[in-house]
Amino acid sequence: MSRTVVIDPVLLSKVSKPARYVGGEWNSVVKNHEDVKLTVAYCFPDVYEVAMSHLGLRILYALLNERKDVAAERVYAPWPDMEELMRSKGYPLFSLETRTPVIDFDFVGFTLQYEMSFTNILNMLDLAGIPLFSRDRGEDMPLVVAGGPCAYNAEPLADYIDLFCLGESEESVQLLADTIIAWKEAGKPGGKKGLLKQLAGQQGNYVPAFYGPRYDEDGQYQGLTILEEGAPAQIEKCVVSDVEHVYFPTKPIVPNIDIVHNRAVLELFRGCSRGCRFCQAGMLYRPVREKSPQRLVQLAKDIIKNSGYNEISLMSLSSADYSCLPELVDQLLDAFKDQKVSVSLPSLRIDSFSIDIAKKVQQVRKSGLTLAPEAGTQRLRDVINKGVTEENLMQACENAFKNGWSTVKLYFMMGLPTETDEDLAGIADLAYKVLNLYRQITHKNNGKVTVSVSSFVPKSHTAFQWFGQLPIEEIQRKQQYIKSLIRDKHISYHYHDAKTGRMEAAFARGDRRMGRVLYEAWKLGCKFDGWTELFDYEKWMQAFRNAGVNPDYYAARTRPTEEVLPWDHLSNGASKAFLKREWQKALDGSLTHDCRHLSCTGCGVCPSLGVHVKDYKEGDSHGKITFSC
Amino acid sequence: MERLRLAVKKEGALQFLSHLDFARCVRYVIIRARLPILYSEGFNPHMKLSFASALGVGVGADVEYLDMELAELVPVADVIGRMNAVSPDGFSVQDGKYIDAKAPKLMAVANYAVYDIKGPVTRPISQDELDGILKAFNEKPDVAYEKVSVKKGHKVRLIAVKNHVIEPVSGIVKKDTVCLHAGILETEDGAIKPQQVWDVLRTQFGLPVQADLVLAWRRGIYVRRDGMNYSLFDGV
């Protein structure tokens, strides 16, 4: 009989937002553990409102719960006040559905969405009573699995996780569940190691304990040695080839408290091949694969009917790129016209077309408009392969202002390769041009432009993976420089803390030695590092000192392209040669086109994974010759 | 337009919701039940839905009332069945009745609420001792509670407790918790919170409990007139 954690309601009512910890939401799935063969605790290492807004885990949760033989439940990071209560009263970390202690599950799966959530993973394992290091976990402990974008550079977490799963899991998670169930039913042959050996042979699976890192006498990373026979040298991501028919949940959990994105979500397509050279998502989720408008409308109707939501968000990496967007929006507006359901587009492309669509979906309230030129000059936009011009931006804004919008938010990055002060001045120039355009069109003296500038973090598997992050002092100087150029109260300027970015960069390009830093940081009490009010840079610096690791070695160093990288064994299907070529083209300021519409650009994903681009306007990519350069 | 009044329960997971979150949950239930509810006009249409009270975080209720305006008459049993089929854990519709479209608002007539107020004791206490404390409170003609407003710059307001607690408070000791049973009347001066009654007994009558370790559960809400409690279904 499984145990349950019962928290005294009097005590629970004293923590902030106790509803975070009680479950019971509409469409959540509660099963008796006696009736299933496998129990899964899906953990998101952040607080409820953030965790519940994440689509990926919702898909896997619903998908596994469709199976009669599996119970999948949710576990989120308790906010510090709840953690304090749990630790003082001895409540272990528990699941929302059945309040079962996490330690009693067969399989504990973490999603790795951002590096600054890593301390929360350690903290959650500790709260669960599960030893942090995989080598310390005995046969009676759950299998600790992780997936998500940060799994593509798994090394900083290698000592803590038993198994990483790369890529899209809708299909592979079924095999994973089947494999574990079969192993359990066969009497767990070979113990946990026997199971991991079997899993290591399946696509997308990386068992870090089966590999050992090599360093040269200077401490330079030289690659991994395979310690277990049969473990592959290269792990390739899993990819869903038929996105049209892949499982998508139509009974979303409806939270009882407000969450960050509290609305129905429709995924239009996977992937984005615009090829922005800083963008990791654009590389990890290739190729572009669309769902048909008919399928999307049917899904939308079911989701709205089953949830009661009055808003549906059209999600994708770049939703305005969906080839049938105008038709889809018309069909959705028509389907919901008597139901007070609105349609929203989270991201807009910088062109007049996007504004026309936005106009359609925001027929009533003209809330702010967000556009992301990313860089201030054409030269730098070409370096990053952001295929937009100032003319595109001005046309988009003109269309918007003529149609009643009055506030525009512009997103930029700083600290990009080849960047000069002239590029930064270009950011301020663009902001003024947009504001002046508004005044010219509306003959009004108000208007509002918000400029938001984040500092660039180099990520693995991108063309900029070799480029070092600028020192904090230089980022701060640049932040102040832009500030000095903006002197209009109708332009507001925001920038991000450079210190968080530095930690992110160290993990994003770190090797297994960053795992020691993580452990030291957790011991010093670091948690919820993505939350400004809880991030403690001094503690992190102490953690680096305690671990004897220099953050700049990972974050700030521009690496030669021939250097062995800690993620070389983890493949998204793209070739390193392609990234090298893109890196060179960036330095030359030359553009690479989008293979969704034109010829193959040779990243290698389609031929190496056996998938195809699917764009309903361009037709199937059958006949398009794909290659790896 | 048809005005339907429902008696609903707030318990389980929903006990921990604020009033705004609870109201949102109820709206989702109404949409999922596909009831022909009416909306306000304007750019931001709102459901024609109102509640008898605003129950706070942690406060469960055996009964809460809500009024909704429907475009057409749907049999009460249908409404109850359809809503309960699509309700999350902790919400259920108990009863319903169509009322006069011009009847006064729930908020305006519901003026008497009965609570169980429960929390752990700081030292062992016998039933006799509790009875003695409650007797002292019940027999004292005037009791004042100093309410310190955090929002309004720590302004102190005096609440005449006995204007609101007009029936004797009873209570039982169960192991290491005390559970009080108290009715609270809302007057033109407002009301007193169940936790404040708890605090009065703690600070002025020596009830051995902690100020903040307390949970209230509403057993009922009524229209009180001439010393009698009437149901919100028919006392209007």
Side-chain angles (χ1 to χ4, degrees):
Chain A
M1 186 58 212
S2 54
R3 303 178 288 159
T4 53
V5 179
V6 182
I7 297 197
D8 182 343
V10 175
L11 297 176
L12 187 59
S13 70
K14 297 304 155 218
V15 304
S16 56
K17 301 194 186 176
R20 285 166 172 167
Y21 311 107
V22 297
E25 305 94 329
W26 179 245
N27 284 335
S28 58
V29 183
V30 180
K31 292 184 184 177
N32 186 342
H33 287 199
E34 310 279 293
D35 300 338
V36 298
K37 294 173 178 169
L38 176 71
T39 54
V40 179
Y42 271 129
C43 304
F44 193 110
D46 210 317
V47 76
Y48 183 90
E49 295 92 314
V50 175
M52 278 290 288
S53 302
H54 178 241
L55 178 61
L57 268 197
R58 282 169 169 256
I59 294 176
L60 297 181
Y61 170 87
L63 173 78
L64 281 186
N65 276 322
E66 291 272 305
R67 292 176 61 139
K68 285 220 168 359
D69 55 354
V70 180
E73 309 196 3
R74 295 162 298 149
V75 181
Y76 302 142
W79 194 247
D81 61 349
M82 179 64 174
E83 180 187 339
E84 202 186 310
L85 171 67
M86 291 169 74
R87 288 196 189 275
S88 70
K89 295 285 169 189
Y91 299 128
L93 190 68
F94 59 92
S95 67
L96 290 178
E97 277 73 9
T98 57
R99 300 179 191 200
T100 303
V102 171
I103 199 169
D104 289 352
F105 282 81
D106 293 319
F107 163 164
V108 174
F110 283 95
T111 181
L112 312 176
Q113 293 298 315
Y114 30 89
E115 292 82 0
M116 300 317 284
S117 68
F118 287 179
T119 49
N120 276 14
I121 296 176
L122 268 54
N123 206 36
M124 286 171 80
L125 286 173
D126 185 63
L127 271 169
I130 298 173
L132 302 188
F133 292 98
S134 52
R135 61 170 179 270
D136 297 335
R137 293 197 285 265
E139 292 292 327
D140 55 334
M141 285 292 156
L143 189 73
V144 179
V145 184
C150 296
Y152 283 93
N153 182 25
E155 294 311 279
L157 291 172
D159 292 337
Y160 307 100
I161 304 292
D162 298 323
L163 170 72
F164 289 96
C165 297
L166 298 193
E168 297 162 346
S169 300
E170 284 101 332
E171 288 157 358
S172 59
V173 77
Q174 302 277 20
L175 177 61
L176 180 62
D178 289 340
T179 308
I180 301 176
I181 290 172
W183 169 77
K184 274 178 79 177
E185 289 187 330
K188 304 188 176 180
K192 219 196 272 181
K193 190 172 175 188
L195 173 65
L196 287 169
K197 278 189 82 159
Q198 208 182 330
L199 291 171
Q202 297 170 0
Q203 187 173 356
N205 287 350
Y206 171 49
V207 180
F210 291 171
Y211 305 80
R214 294 190 307 275
Y215 305 99
D216 67 12
E217 57 273 26
D218 301 326
Q220 190 71 22
Y221 175 75
Q222 294 299 311
L224 293 177
T225 302
I226 296 175
L227 306 174
E228 198 63 43
E229 202 188 327
Q234 185 85 4
I235 292 96
E236 271 194 338
K237 76 166 181 183
C238 292
V239 63
V240 171
S241 55
D242 184 2
V243 164
E244 173 80 353
H245 297 104
V246 74
Y247 177 82
F248 193 81
T250 52
K251 290 180 180 166
I253 299 175
V254 181
N256 290 329
I257 55 172
D258 207 9
I259 59 171
V260 180
H261 299 297
N262 203 2
R263 55 187 79 97
V265 174
L266 196 60
E267 190 190 23
L268 308 187
F269 60 90
R270 290 268 161 93
C272 171
S273 46
R274 294 198 146 238
C276 299
R277 293 181 176 123
F278 55 82
C279 178
Q280 193 189 35
M283 288 309 304
L284 299 185
Y285 300 109
R286 287 180 177 217
V288 166
R289 289 146 294 152
E290 294 186 340
K291 285 190 201 297
S292 70
Q294 301 85 302
R295 166 95 169 131
L296 289 168
V297 171
Q298 190 51 52
L299 285 173
K301 284 181 180 166
D302 292 345
I303 293 168
I304 291 296
K305 180 170 150 253
N306 295 331
S307 65
Y309 272 126
N310 57 8
E311 183 183 352
I312 188 154
S313 175
L314 307 182
M315 245 200 22
S316 291
L317 287 175
S318 166
S319 294
D321 282 342
Y322 180 59
S323 66
C324 309
L325 191 59
E327 299 94 302
L328 175 68
V329 166
D330 283 344
Q331 288 177 39
L332 289 175
L333 291 177
D334 187 54
F336 298 130
K337 66 174 182 292
D338 298 323
Q339 293 183 48
K340 303 215 161 31
V341 174
S342 64
V343 177
S344 67
L345 270 173
S347 63
L348 284 181
R349 211 163 70 189
I350 303 181
D351 56 22
S352 202
F353 161 83
S354 295
I355 306 299
D356 289 338
I357 298 282
K359 220 156 65 187
K360 234 182 221 172
V361 301
Q362 289 192 9
Q363 273 162 347
V364 195
R365 262 180 309 153
K366 297 272 193 290
S367 51
L369 197 65
T370 304
L371 301 167
E374 312 287 6
T377 61
Q378 197 58 49
R379 187 200 67 79
L380 192 53
R381 283 194 294 273
D382 290 348
V383 167
I384 63 178
N385 202 41
K386 183 84 190 180
V388 291
T389 61
E390 191 174 312
E391 203 188 340
N392 297 147
L393 177 66
M394 289 303 151
Q395 278 169 355
C397 291
E398 185 181 335
N399 191 346
F401 296 146
K402 282 183 175 161
N403 285 290
W405 272 279
S406 61
T407 60
V408 172
K409 209 187 246 178
L410 299 174
Y411 276 4
F412 296 95
M413 255 185 289
M414 70 159 70
L416 291 163
T418 77
E419 183 179 270
T420 64
D421 279 4
E422 203 179 310
D423 300 306
L424 303 176
I427 292 176
D429 280 351
L430 272 185
Y432 274 101
K433 279 179 186 162
V434 169
L435 184 65
N436 289 336
L437 181 72
Y438 173 80
R439 291 175 174 174
Q440 205 184 318
I441 289 172
T442 61
H443 305 292
K444 286 182 191 161
N445 236 347
N446 56 354
K448 190 168 180 246
V449 177
T450 303
V451 174
S452 180
V453 185
S454 59
S455 47
F456 170 66
V457 177
K459 297 267 168 149
S460 73
H461 301 82
T462 67
F464 291 171
Q465 65 180 357
W466 293 283
F467 183 67
Q469 194 179 45
L470 298 180
I472 287 189
E473 301 71 36
E474 176 61 2
I475 290 173
Q476 286 167 341
R477 185 197 67 80
K478 289 184 177 218
Q479 287 170 341
Q480 293 310 311
Y481 175 62
I482 298 175
K483 196 174 180 182
S484 73
L485 299 176
I486 295 176
R487 293 251 173 263
D488 191 306
K489 66 175 189 310
H490 293 94
I491 302 177
S492 61
Y493 167 58
H494 304 278
Y495 50 88
H496 295 187
D497 179 24
K499 291 169 178 167
T500 318
R502 188 176 184 218
M503 297 300 98
E504 220 182 302
F507 280 107
R509 299 201 302 161
D511 57 33
R512 289 197 184 186
R513 290 169 291 192
M514 278 300 293
R516 300 205 305 251
V517 179
L518 183 63
Y519 184 64
E520 293 295 332
W522 171 75
K523 277 202 299 187
L524 290 168
C526 292
K527 61 185 108 165
F528 286 99
D529 300 296
W531 293 74
T532 321
E533 67 266 43
L534 295 173
F535 176 67
D536 189 333
Y537 186 64
E538 289 316 312
K539 274 188 192 160
W540 273 101
M541 289 298 100
Q542 186 61 48
F544 274 99
R545 285 192 292 274
N546 292 356
V549 171
N550 174 9
D552 286 340
Y553 174 76
Y554 300 109
R557 196 165 53 89
T558 293
R559 306 183 189 184
T561 52
E562 57 279 6
E563 183 174 316
V564 182
L565 299 171
W567 52 92
D568 276 346
H569 58 298
L570 302 173
S571 167
N572 59 334
S575 75
K576 207 170 173 182
F578 172 77
L579 295 180
K580 281 183 188 169
R581 199 186 60 175
E582 281 295 300
W583 177 221
Q584 191 51 53
K585 283 177 86 176
L587 298 177
D588 299 341
S590 86
L591 294 170
T592 298
H593 65 251
D594 187 347
C595 66
R596 178 184 197 143
H597 306 294
L598 299 167
S599 60
C600 170
T601 53
C603 74
V605 171
C606 292
S608 72
L609 301 176
V611 279
H612 305 286
V613 173
K614 177 88 191 165
D615 179 292
Y616 277 87
K617 279 284 147 72
E618 301 290 344
D620 277 354
S621 74
H622 299 297
K624 185 184 269 188
I625 295 165
T626 57
F627 63 99
S628 181
C629 73
Chain B
M1 185 270 276
E2 302 291 341
R3 186 160 158 204
L4 176 62
R5 177 161 295 177
L6 297 178
V8 304
K9 239 181 181 172
K10 180 199 181 199
E11 58 182 0
L14 296 200
Q15 178 190 349
F16 296 101
L17 297 196
S18 67
H19 175 63
L20 287 180
D21 287 334
F22 178 66
R24 186 178 340 94
C25 281
V26 176
R27 288 200 299 274
Y28 286 144
V29 171
I30 292 168
I31 296 174
R32 289 195 295 264
R34 306 211 146 197
L35 297 179
I37 190 151
L38 294 172
Y39 285 81
S40 66
E41 305 286 320
F43 281 152
N44 231 336
H46 285 284
M47 243 182 218
K48 299 264 195 175
L49 174 70
S50 58
F51 293 81
S53 59
L55 293 160
V57 175
V59 184
D62 287 344
V63 61
E64 164 66 332
Y65 290 86
L66 55 88
D67 281 358
M68 56 170 92
E69 292 181 17
L70 299 180
E72 65 204 62
L73 192 136
V74 180
V76 172
D78 271 18
V79 172
I80 295 177
R82 277 155 74 175
M83 286 181 73
N84 285 346
V86 293
S87 290
D89 173 43
F91 180 82
S92 58
V93 184
Q94 306 290 307
D95 202 357
K97 191 177 175 184
Y98 280 95
I99 57 161
D100 190 88
K102 293 195 185 69
K105 285 193 160 187
L106 275 168
M107 268 283 191
V109 290
N111 64 345
Y112 197 72
V114 178
Y115 292 92
D116 282 349
I117 313 168
K118 204 163 106 178
V121 291
T122 50
R123 60 166 174 80
I125 170 177
S126 68
Q127 183 66 42
D128 283 350
E129 190 186 351
L130 176 65
D131 290 344
I133 289 170
L134 295 178
K135 187 163 182 273
F137 171 81
N138 289 332
E139 287 174 356
K140 196 165 182 207
D142 291 306
V143 179
Y145 176 74
E146 273 192 4
K147 185 189 171 195
V148 184
S149 166
V150 183
K151 279 180 194 157
K152 293 175 188 161
H154 296 274
K155 220 168 96 180
V156 178
R157 191 167 73 92
L158 275 188
I159 298 179
V161 178
K162 286 301 175 94
N163 286 352
H164 303 290
V165 184
I166 55 172
E167 290 184 299
V169 174
S170 61
I172 51 166
V173 179
K174 217 181 198 176
K175 277 199 212 153
D176 45 5
T177 61
V178 161
C179 181
L180 306 178
H181 188 74
I184 295 174
L185 178 72
E186 190 179 329
T187 66
E188 50 272 32
D189 299 329
I192 184 169
K193 287 184 178 153
Q195 291 84 349
Q196 291 167 336
V197 175
W198 181 262
D199 208 32
V200 166
L201 287 161
R202 180 183 73 93
T203 53
Q204 300 178 34
F205 296 87
L207 186 67
V209 294
Q210 285 183 47
D212 57 343
L213 288 184
V214 55
L215 262 188
W217 191 281
R218 200 174 70 194
R219 292 290 171 205
I221 182 164
Y222 308 95
V223 184
R224 190 171 179 98
R225 219 170 30 221
D226 308 325
M228 293 284 285
N229 292 342
Y230 298 92
S231 156
L232 282 160
F233 278 134
D234 39 42
V236 200

